[in-house]
Amino acid sequence: MPASPSTARAINDRLALGLLQEQGPLTAGQLKQLTGLSRPTVADLVERLTAAGLVRVVGESGAARRGPNARLYGIVADGAFLAALDVRTDGVAVLVADLVGRVLAEASVPVDGDAGTGPAVERVVAAVERAAKEAGAERLHTVGIGAPGLIDPATGDLRDSAGLPAWHRSLAAALQERLPGALITVENETNLAALAEQREGAARDRDTFVLLWLGHGTGAAVVLDGVLRRGASGGTGEIGFLPVPGTSCLPSATDCGGGFHALAGAAAVLSLAAAHGLPTPDVVDGPNAAEVVRRAVESASAGDAPPV
């Protein structure tokens, strides 16, 4: 079934905005060449995006040649402001950016393990509000939350999981209440890492790939035919819950302690290192586990690894 005119316009507008965001200011001719659209269609979408306040003339090209210069169109960077939250078990990192991805303000909020849900959530929400004010954003258009854990595809909320603080699951609702005009979205951190690699990193030329996450926890993200796949239950990539030989129990719906996580997570790596006489740090996390593995590989390469 062919797309309706309004749907076709929306697709074309999104395509043009994506190019302007990735490549910077472009002329109408360059947009025509990059999109493959006709000249009248490009002229219409430029006029439409300009009227909507999303695009404006930011300069001219071809100043070195004779004749009229072509107008350069660019995204109105301050047309909307976005906030991103990286949620950890012990705190949250916040940044506020404009529409071209320029970071305007940052904040870091530690949250003590014994902090109650209410105080912890209030601390994080207040930090988001402060960062938005510092960035000069009167309102936030979208707030994206990246967090460990399983996302319920029906509600978009974090599911209850062992080892995650209760305030994680209350944060999105609190932000929605304090920022009623903003779109609040929650996504699994590994899925977000895959989207970042797809757009800016090692997977830019790949339509199908799997990103394996090995850190404090274990997980994976699956991209097929260019689309992130979450699965009907949201559990695609949750390899930490896979039952494997060598663990003392079986994983449950809310606890991956008996699954692959118990063999490959940071705690398991550091425990194995300690059992073989390698120095281990006091803090159990992904970076420390990775550093221990790096030193072990260097020792093995030098021929002075401790006996197994």
Side-chain angles (χ1 to χ4, degrees):
M1 179 182 295
S4 66
S6 60
T7 300
R9 286 193 295 269
I11 293 173
N12 293 340
D13 290 354
R14 177 169 293 188
L15 176 61
L17 287 171
L19 289 169
L20 290 170
Q21 187 176 43
E22 293 174 5
Q23 302 193 26
L26 298 169
T27 66
Q30 289 170 325
L31 282 172
K32 174 182 178 298
Q33 181 179 9
L34 291 169
T35 61
L37 299 172
S38 68
R39 188 178 300 275
T41 299
V42 170
D44 287 343
L45 74 83
V46 167
E47 182 178 356
R48 188 164 55 249
L49 294 175
T50 301
L54 296 173
V55 166
R56 65 185 170 203
V57 177
V58 296
E60 295 182 340
S61 69
R65 61 177 177 79
R66 294 183 177 181
N69 298 327
R71 293 178 175 178
L72 278 170
Y73 296 94
I75 289 179
V76 180
D78 58 358
F81 298 93
L82 321 168
L85 280 65
D86 180 16
V87 178
R88 307 282 91 198
T89 56
D90 57 355
V92 176
V94 181
L95 66 81
V96 177
D98 59 21
L99 284 180
V100 296
R102 183 170 58 243
V103 176
L104 305 175
E106 297 183 70
S108 180
V109 188
V111 178
D112 297 332
D114 57 355
T117 297
V121 168
E122 175 58 31
R123 191 175 304 169
V124 175
V125 173
V128 174
E129 292 176 330
R130 287 196 304 271
K133 183 176 181 180
E134 181 183 341
E138 293 185 3
R139 61 179 295 271
L140 292 172
H141 180 277
T142 300
V143 178
I145 303 171
L150 194 63
I151 309 298
D152 187 329
T155 64
D157 297 329
L158 270 172
R159 287 182 172 176
D160 187 11
S161 298
L164 294 181
W167 62 265
H168 279 199
R169 296 185 298 280
S170 304
L171 183 56
L175 285 167
Q176 192 68 79
E177 182 178 352
R178 292 274 279 273
L179 306 169
L183 172 64
I184 312 295
T185 63
V186 185
E187 183 57 270
N188 174 269
E189 60 182 359
T190 309
N191 285 343
L192 289 176
L195 293 177
E197 293 293 345
Q198 183 186 32
R199 179 169 179 172
E200 303 289 346
R204 292 189 66 174
D205 60 343
R206 298 285 187 270
D207 288 333
T208 297
F209 65 94
V210 175
L211 181 143
L212 181 62
W213 181 285
L214 294 175
H216 183 64
T218 58
V222 179
V223 175
L224 299 177
D225 298 326
V227 179
L228 177 68
R229 308 294 180 173
R230 298 176 177 84
S233 65
T236 298
E238 293 293 334
I239 60 173
F241 289 85
L242 289 174
V244 291
T247 60
S248 59
C249 59
L250 290 175
S252 68
T254 60
D255 187 0
C256 61
F260 180 64
H261 168 81
L263 296 182
V269 170
L270 294 177
S271 177
L272 182 64
H276 290 284
L278 294 174
T280 56
D282 295 331
V283 178
V284 178
D285 60 16
N288 279 334
E291 178 61 20
V292 168
V293 171
R294 184 187 66 79
R295 291 201 304 264
V297 171
E298 290 178 350
S299 296
S301 299
D304 57 355
V308 177

